[in-house]
Every structure is written in C-alpha cells, then in structure tokens.
Amino acid sequence: MLDGTDDQPIEGRTFPPPADFARTASAGPDLAGRAAADRLAFWAEQALERLTWAQAPTETLDWSNAPFARWFADGTLNVAYNCLDRHVEAGHGDRVALHWEGEPGDARSLTYAELTHEVKRAANLLLSLGVRAGDRVIVYLPQIPEAVVTMLAVARIGAVHSVVFGGFSAESLRARIDDAGARLVVTADGGWRKGAVSPLKAAVDEALAVDGDSTVEHVLVVRRGGNDVSWTDGRDVWWHDAIETVEAEHVAEPFEAEHPLFILYTSGTTGKPKGILHTSGGYLTQVAYTHSVVFDLHPETDVYWCTADVGWITGHSYVVYGPLANGATQVLYEGTPDFPAPGRWWDIVEKYGVTIFYTAPTAIRGFMKSGREIPGARDLTSLRLLGSVGEPINPEAWLWFREVIGAGRTPIVDTWWQTETGAQMISPLPGVTTTKPGSAQTPLPGIVVDVVDDHGTPVGNGESGLLVVSEPWPSMLRGIWGDPDRYVETYWSRFGDRYFADDGARRDEDGDIWLLGRVDDVMNVSGHRLSTAEIESALVSHPIVAESAVVGAADETTGQAVVAFVILRNKAKTTQTPEEAVAALRAHVAHQIGAIARPRSVVLVDELPKTRSGKIMRRLLRDVAEGREVGDTTTLADTSVMSVITAEMR
Ligand code: WT7
C-alpha cells in the first residue's frame, strides 16, 4: 500500500501518476518535448493561445539588453480584461469566480459577471481619485474580495499596485510607500484575525504621520472590521461612499505587454527590501500556463483553493492572476487555519467541495502536530490534487499530506519558484511525472535550470550545488524598482548570463532536483522571506542594543525560526532585567517590521563570533541555535568566544 503507513523507508519511494489523471491531464505527455524542440515558439504559442490580445505580439523575446528582458513586446493587452470581461463575453458570467469566506463565518460568492462589475466600478473610483496609468497604488488590505477587486482595478487602468501584507508594521509600510512613490493607499478599517479585529487604518495613519511629506494624496478605506478609525478630511475616503458616486461602465483599454503590472517588496541580503517589478504580457502568460498544467485545472468542474495571502507573490500569481485568467472557481479565506477551531480549513474544503488545494509545508507540519483526527472528521473526498510551495517539504510531511489529506490517492505537486520568478519554475506535472516525496523534480516545460558548482560548472547526478536559471522566462522580474544596478548585481553578477536564485540544490541519481534552502543571509520562516540584515538593523535601532546578529534556526513547524543574539549596552544591563530586555526587543522587532519577524528567541551575549576582518560568523551561531556541536572556529579572531556563547545559551 503506497500511503505512507507501511514500513517501507521513505527514501526511494515513488508514486506513478494515477491512470485516470494521465488520461485527462491538461499537460499532455508531449508538452516537454514540444517546449524543448523550440522553446521560444512554445512560449509564443502559450501567449497567443491562453491570452486575449488587443494587438497580438509578433516578437517573442528581446534579450538584446540582457539581463533586462522584453517579452512579447509589440503585443498589447489589458490584464484585467483577460481575468474578467472575456470570460463573461464567452458566456461564463454565471460561473463563480470567488467563494469568499470571512473569518467570523460570513461568506460571499461572486460570479465572473459580478466581479467584473465590481472591478469596473473600482476602476472608475480610482480614476476619480486621480490615479492614472503608471501611478503606484499601495494595497494594505485583509484577505477580502476588495483586495482582489482593487488589484484588478489598478491593473485595468494601467496603474501599478504594490500590495503590502497586512502583518507588516507602519514603518515597513511607510518605507514601501516612499520607495514606490505611491499616490494612493487602499486599506480597511481593520481585518479579522483569530477572533479579533486587527487595525489597519491606524497603521496607515501612523505611517503617513512620520516626518517628511509623503507622496500619498488619498487613503481609500474599506469598511470591514467595524472598528473606530480616525479620519483626515480631504485625504481619507470611504470606499462604500465613493463607489456609489461613480459610473458602472468602464471599457478596458490595452497596454503594452511590457507595461508595469506590480511591484512586490521582498527581503534581500541588505536591510532594504527590494521592490521586485513584474510586467504584463509575459507574467500573465506564465501564470496562466503554469496554473493550468501544474494544477491540471479543469475550470468547468474544479474548485481551487490556494491558502496564500494576496500580500505575497503566491497570492498574486495563484490567487489573483493565474486562476482568474483561466476562469477558475476558487475559495478565498480571510482568517487563520485554526480559528475558531483547528479544523477550520477542512470545514472549508468540505463546504465548497475543493478539488485542488495549494498550501505551504509549514501549515502541513502544523496540522501533523494537531493530529489526523481533525481532518479525518471531515469529508475531504472532493480533493484530487494537492500542491506545496514556499520551502522544501520534508518527505514525512509530503507523505502525511498525501495520505491524510489526499486519502492516499491524490498526486502532490511540490512547486519551486520565487517572488522574482513570478511563476512556478520547477514542479512535477500531475498525470505525467512519477513523483518523489520531498523533491520538486523537473523544470517545467519551457524553463531551463541547472545545478552548478561555485565556478558555474554543472554538477553531476548525485551531487549538490547552486540553482541557476539558464534561459530567460516570460514571468521573470524585469528589475528592482528604482535600482537597476542592484538587479544586475544581485542576480546576474555571480554567473554572468545565468540567473542565480540563491538556493542550494541537489541532483539525485535520476537527475531530479531537490531544493536545499537558501544559501544567502535570507531566512524562510513559514514560507516567508526575512533578511537577517533587516532584523539586525531593527534590533540595533533600539536604544538598549549595542550589537546584534540574527540567524535562521531549524524549526519543526515554521521551517526556520528567527534567533537573535544581542549585546546590550552597559547602561541597559543595570536598568532592566534580562527578561525585560528580551521581551522589549521581541516586541520592538514586531513593531518595526511586523509580527512575522518577531524573534522566537533573543539570546543576550557579551560577544559575537567574528572573523579577523570583523565579519560575523553566522554559521557558528546557527550551530548554537540549533543545539549542534559548534563547527570549525579556527578563523575566529577570538576562538574562545563560542564556548562562552554556548554557555550563555543554556
Ligand atoms: C524562496 C522564495 C514561491 C512563493 C513563496 C515564496 C523557497 C519556494 C519552494 C519549494 C523548496 C522553496 C526558496 C526560494 N521555496 N518554494 N517548493 N521547495 N524551497 O516566495 O518569498 O520569494 O521565497 O522560497 O528558498 O528561493 P519567496
């Protein structure tokens, strides 16, 4: 029995595609062959077949100004039209686009006709507030239909959205507003989280109150939490009031394929987040293509659910643009997996008859902890495909997912990609690939990746190295907002003409790819990227801190956890207890960056391990944080420091 309950070792187990899947899979067995035969022709075909263009492109890739790519550059299209109007025009207006489920239990379903109507009105609302093509709009909303409506309305008028996850602090929000030079912020009074309303408008007020004028002219506020808000006349506008004053009709005009669609900030190795820029035609081509073939989407019958928040790239590509471009019916859920009870997600799967379910390993490991009885008490038989994203999925979690959630019969797609890649890059194809627990396996048809050593030479099977993408792809980032040099330096300086993903990877004996995690100073906590530098600079901004070093330590549930080593200023040691200092610093980081960055532990130390040139050796701190024997310390300036830190840790 191939369901993870027998005694067979996990290593070496494989799961051939079920026969019924293979028969109807939207990725036919010849897909890879077609892509390999003529990669650019393959992408041109995807662009023309999957999207509706106002002006069909005749050019595919312009790489003459590498690494700044232009895809389908002479084509024009409207992204929102592709996600909405064309489905209504094709007679699918009555198909549900969103089954939205609020955390308190309220629910609302929107058909494609209704969603199109809402987006047209919202587009007129944005125009009435002075937003024009090319302007930047910050979206700081809970996971409610208005978040999707806003993103599509911004896209519809050719403006550029930058969604900021609702868990980010006022300070992080302001940094993004300033970097993007945003004209408008769309927010809500508050959103529901674990049974309480967490305020959002207040954070916007705080962000805009920071010294120095901001570029923001208006704050558009959706009523969701019902909590009190303070109001700045002339600047703040209630969504529900203003939307009543605008026209219902809006005709989508086409924009060039390379017109900017969105900026999404993500952590890098420095303290300053990078504004990853994505454009229209290539991005939409690849998200639509991957959403169709990787999830084997049959839009007439499937009910798809991706649990990601729209504040992350997964929410952009696989909640908003991919599914809607493909005319899918999907679930959108506002709250946390375990509210009001640990079975909430499975109740939702049962309620809507979810067939395709896409989530993160950290969530799966959380469910493993609370036991199989909870999902076991629900009817999950509608599920036919499961997907994983955000971090390496350990084989045990993979098998549990398949056996307990997928009743031992659903294929699992472990999808590797990044904010920068815009869409999935490495994944098994359901109905085609024989899967292996824990491996993302093969680049998708049309994508060329390799695993190389430090010198850029491809490694052999059975060996590890660094993951690179060898050829440009349609949904690749087009740069870092306002900083072209950083784009070239970060991704293209190491291996010249190949994109360096900053992930380690191994090729197994069959040549399949296993992801090994980040090789830079970026952590992955619950599938979210955080930079050590960003948290370190938040810590040293606190008056009691003299110096700090942050590492990501292995964590059973969240993949990695933030562990901070901090040297306090002498004065601070006399004015508060160590417990008070630790509590203050954890709260400070949460306030500065957001709750996701709050350190799991703060270790107060007297010294940090440094090389003779003064570089902090995080590798050694990681050893300590993970309770391991400390590795080679011979390059330390002071070799005794690690034994002191290890003692302080206890
Ligand atoms: C980093 C990108 C892709 C959307 C969510 C995160 C890690 C992502 C996998 C996977 C192993 C993975 C990588 C990558 N990652 N998916 N299936 N297996 N690792 O987007 O915040 O841009 O983070 O997440 O380390 O570089 P992101």
Side-chain angles (χ1 to χ4, degrees), residues 241-279:
D241 284 341
I243 199 95
E244 296 304 330
T245 67
V246 299
E247 294 218 7
E249 201 38 61
H250 178 272
V251 179
E253 70 174 277
F255 295 94
E256 289 182 359
E258 284 297 340
H259 190 77
L261 179 61
F262 65 85
I263 302 165
L264 185 59
Y265 288 85
T266 189
S267 297
T269 45
T270 71
K272 189 177 184 287
K274 302 178 280 198
I276 303 300
L277 174 67
H278 284 286
T279 60

Side-chain angles (χ1 to χ4, degrees), residues 564-593:
F565 294 83
V566 169
I567 304 176
L568 293 182
R569 288 180 194 278
N570 281 336
K571 194 160 158 260
K573 294 180 191 162
T574 56
T575 55
Q576 52 195 307
T577 66
E579 291 74 25
E580 284 165 352
V582 166
L585 293 177
R586 293 184 71 231
H588 177 70
V589 173
H591 185 257
Q592 291 267 302
I593 302 174

Side-chain angles (χ1 to χ4, degrees), residues 175-186:
R176 286 152 176 79
I177 290 171
D178 288 347
D179 190 79
R183 203 161 181 179
L184 175 74
V185 177
V186 186

Side-chain angles (χ1 to χ4, degrees), residues 153-370:
V154 169
R156 190 174 185 94
I157 63 171
V160 181
H161 57 72
S162 184
V163 185
V164 177
F165 174 60
F168 277 118
S169 66
E171 193 143 332
S172 301
L173 177 63
R174 176 61 187 257
R176 286 152 176 79
I177 290 171
D178 288 347
D179 190 79
R183 203 161 181 179
L184 175 74
V185 177
V186 186
T187 189
D189 48 0
W192 288 94
R193 215 166 161 74
K194 293 187 193 280
V197 172
S198 74
L200 287 167
K201 171 67 163 60
V204 176
D205 292 339
E206 191 186 333
L208 296 181
V210 175
D211 283 353
D213 283 343
S214 90
T215 47
V216 172
E217 291 164 13
H218 290 290
V219 178
L220 182 58
V221 188
V222 177
R223 185 136 71 200
R224 169 59 187 153
N227 48 315
D228 286 341
V229 291
S230 49
W231 207 251
T232 302
D233 287 326
R235 185 195 73 183
D236 299 348
V237 178
W238 279 114
W239 174 293
H240 59 263
D241 284 341
I243 199 95
E244 296 304 330
T245 67
V246 299
E247 294 218 7
E249 201 38 61
H250 178 272
V251 179
E253 70 174 277
F255 295 94
E256 289 182 359
E258 284 297 340
H259 190 77
L261 179 61
F262 65 85
I263 302 165
L264 185 59
Y265 288 85
T266 189
S267 297
T269 45
T270 71
K272 189 177 184 287
K274 302 178 280 198
I276 303 300
L277 174 67
H278 284 286
T279 60
S280 305
Y283 172 80
L284 200 63
T285 297
Q286 195 174 331
V287 295
Y289 156 69
T290 51
H291 182 262
S292 171
V293 301
V294 171
F295 295 123
D296 181 38
L297 181 81
H298 294 271
E300 322 76 41
T301 47
D302 275 317
V303 178
Y304 163 85
W305 184 17
C306 165
T307 63
D309 191 280
V310 293
W312 309 111
I313 190 68
T314 310
H316 284 60
S317 303
Y318 298 104
V319 175
V320 181
Y321 293 110
L324 296 176
N326 289 337
T329 294
Q330 69 174 319
V331 170
L332 183 72
Y333 171 53
E334 180 184 30
T336 47
D338 51 356
F339 189 85
R344 183 66 189 272
W345 274 13
W346 316 121
D347 289 338
I348 295 174
V349 169
E350 184 177 282
K351 175 173 174 185
Y352 295 105
V354 172
T355 58
I356 304 168
F357 182 66
Y358 191 32
T359 195
T362 182
I364 300 165
R365 290 191 296 266
F367 292 125
M368 285 173 79
K369 262 201 208 155
S370 45

Side-chain angles (χ1 to χ4, degrees), residues 266-267 312-314 358 361 388-393 414-421 426 438 440 501-503 514-518 524 527-529:
T266 189
S267 297
W312 309 111
I313 190 68
T314 310
Y358 191 32
S388 170
V389 61
E391 54 175 313
I393 177 165
D414 173 9
T415 61
W416 179 88
W417 57 293
Q418 308 176 298
T419 304
E420 291 88 341
T421 70
I426 306 178
D502 262 319
D503 271 324
W514 297 67
L515 278 309
L516 302 175
R518 305 283 301 189
N524 189 325
H528 300 142
R529 246 157 98 171

Side-chain angles (χ1 to χ4, degrees), residues 369-540:
K369 262 201 208 155
S370 45
R372 62 175 61 206
E373 296 72 26
I374 295 166
R378 274 86 183 176
D379 179 3
L380 305 182
T381 50
S382 57
L383 291 170
R384 65 180 196 89
L385 180 73
L386 304 175
S388 170
V389 61
E391 54 175 313
I393 177 165
N394 46 312
E396 294 75 15
W398 194 103
L399 280 171
W400 189 92
F401 198 24
R402 182 183 153 95
E403 185 204 331
V404 178
I405 306 304
R409 56 181 172 73
T410 54
I412 295 184
V413 288
D414 173 9
T415 61
W416 179 88
W417 57 293
Q418 308 176 298
T419 304
E420 291 88 341
T421 70
Q424 295 160 343
M425 302 289 279
I426 306 178
S427 171
L429 285 175
V432 178
T433 315
T434 293
T435 54
K436 297 175 180 175
S439 173
Q441 296 186 284
T442 46
L444 291 171
I447 299 298
V448 188
V449 304
D450 212 341
V451 182
V452 301
D453 66 17
D454 280 343
H455 309 290
T457 310
V459 304
N461 289 354
E463 289 174 32
S464 301
L466 303 169
L467 184 70
V468 294
V469 186
S470 315
E471 298 289 345
W473 63 103
S475 65
M476 67 193 290
L477 75 165
R478 298 302 195 264
I480 295 175
W481 184 256
D483 202 345
D485 295 344
R486 190 176 178 194
Y487 166 63
V488 176
E489 166 66 27
T490 306
Y491 304 104
W492 302 91
S493 61
R494 182 132 181 200
F495 297 115
D497 56 352
R498 285 167 292 178
Y499 168 89
F500 177 41
D502 262 319
D503 271 324
R506 178 171 71 87
R507 276 203 193 274
D508 68 15
E509 296 305 335
D510 305 321
D512 280 334
I513 294 171
W514 297 67
L515 278 309
L516 302 175
R518 305 283 301 189
V519 295
D520 55 9
D521 288 330
V522 169
M523 292 169 284
N524 189 325
V525 178
S526 298
H528 300 142
R529 246 157 98 171
L530 296 168
S531 93
T532 54
E534 204 178 349
I535 301 177
E536 283 164 7
S537 76
L539 283 166
V540 295

